[in-house]
Amino acid sequence: MASIVWAAATAHTGAMMRAPAGDTGDLERAQRVFAGFRTLGASLKAARPDVLIVIATDHFLSFDYTVLPIFAVGTGERFDGWGEFGVPKRDYQGRAAFGAAVHAGMVGAGFDLVSARDLKLDHSFSCPLQLLLDGWDLPILPIYVNCTIEPLPTLSRCLDFGAALGEVVRNQRVLERVAIVGTGGLSHWVGMPSTGTINREFDQRFLDLFTAGRCEDIARWDSDEVIHSAGNGAAEIRNWIMAAAAARSKGARVLAYEPVAAWNTGIGVTELLL
């Protein structure tokens, strides 16, 4: 059987690929975030995984109102980056047989997961990947979650998806050592009048529960209230609890949390405890 050898959850924003300018305090906060990602990247490399599952979303590039799955998995051998929003373009290798095994396993588990062989990756995937894989490469398996266009999957459904994903990964026979990262949030508003607001209180409340391994408590939160209090970008906390459920994590350690004003986002970087 395979094993999940490493797991993490991080925030992302396209702006984080550029260090803030002009505000010394903001620059110092950003440097602490970058240091957290360097620590996390070194930990990932030391775990020697065969593949990295990345749970993220999309911002009207690969999916929109024309075709909008709730969940999708990239099942190809290559995943190109969009390179949008000033994010350096970088493409990634996949493992098609692994993707096919995950797709079949999740459908068998009762999740109607869409297969997207040529899934292109926007900054929700690319930003954390470029920081985690700085100077080295690792095959990936992208899993898309609709965190953008209502109706969104419920938090509890996402938690169940993560638990099922972990079982499927452990039972497949294609690759033995699997890593997983969920990425999104924390508090931020995208394209809204409140853009630039960061709700530190929400971020801390979320991190307190997440680091204590209390994702079931988070899954009981009202999704509309999350978005109202912490922004439409906070809907991406789904990806964090999915990774935690898949990894059967006992909690997490925070490598960085910084409300970076220039990035309009409360940035969290955590490593899950296995």
Side-chain angles (χ1 to χ4, degrees):
M1 291 181 65
S3 58
I4 295 177
V5 298
W6 180 93
T10 77
H12 69 249
T13 170
M16 72 192 304
M17 302 310 296
R18 301 175 294 280
D23 185 318
T24 302
D26 229 22
L27 180 58
E28 291 174 351
R29 286 186 282 273
Q31 294 298 343
R32 289 192 287 269
V33 169
F34 293 143
F37 269 104
R38 285 193 295 271
T39 298
L40 200 57
S43 173
L44 171 61
K45 191 171 187 179
R48 299 180 293 106
D50 300 314
V51 66
L52 173 62
I53 296 174
V54 188
I55 303 174
T57 190
D58 178 77
H59 299 82
F60 292 91
L61 288 173
S62 292
F63 299 114
D64 58 23
Y65 289 106
T66 306
V67 178
L68 184 67
I70 298 297
F71 302 111
V73 58
T75 52
E77 288 283 358
R78 176 187 172 93
F79 304 107
D80 292 346
W82 281 103
E84 89 291 358
F85 199 48
V87 177
K89 180 172 168 52
R90 181 172 171 181
D91 306 327
Y92 296 89
Q93 295 300 310
R95 291 290 182 264
F98 179 67
V102 170
H103 180 223
M106 291 301 290
V107 171
F111 290 85
D112 298 328
L113 184 61
V114 170
S115 171
R117 184 172 299 174
D118 297 321
L119 180 62
K120 290 187 70 172
L121 311 179
D122 84 346
H123 69 270
S124 59
F125 291 92
S126 294
C127 288
L129 280 173
Q130 293 199 45
L131 294 171
L132 289 172
L133 303 180
D134 184 16
W136 62 293
D137 289 306
L138 177 66
I140 69 164
L141 179 77
I143 292 182
Y144 159 86
V145 184
N146 173 28
C147 299
T148 309
I149 305 172
E150 294 186 354
L152 308 181
T154 65
L155 290 162
S156 61
R157 181 64 169 169
C158 289
L159 192 69
D160 291 343
F161 183 106
L165 175 63
E167 290 300 310
V168 167
V169 166
R170 293 179 184 89
N171 288 319
Q172 57 79 37
R173 299 179 180 275
V174 180
L175 298 175
E176 293 184 0
R177 299 177 63 82
V178 179
I180 184 167
V181 59
T183 173
L186 294 171
S187 66
H188 66 292
W189 281 255
V190 181
M192 306 288 286
S194 296
T195 296
T197 302
I198 299 173
N199 188 337
R200 303 185 194 189
E201 182 180 350
F202 170 88
D203 292 346
Q204 193 57 60
R205 181 161 60 99
F206 173 80
L207 287 171
D208 286 346
L209 290 175
F210 189 76
T211 55
R214 296 172 58 186
C215 289
E216 291 185 357
D217 290 347
I218 296 170
R220 287 192 287 269
W221 286 0
D222 180 87
S223 178
D224 290 341
E225 178 55 31
V226 168
I227 293 171
H228 173 75
S229 63
N232 52 345
E236 297 166 343
I237 62 172
R238 287 163 169 77
N239 306 333
W240 289 54
I241 65 174
M242 289 169 72
R248 298 175 185 161
S249 74
K250 301 177 179 66
R253 65 185 183 113
V254 177
L255 300 178
Y257 170 73
E258 299 292 339
V260 184
W263 296 344
N264 299 328
T265 305
I267 301 289
V269 181
T270 69
E271 182 170 8
L272 296 173
L273 305 177
L274 305 183

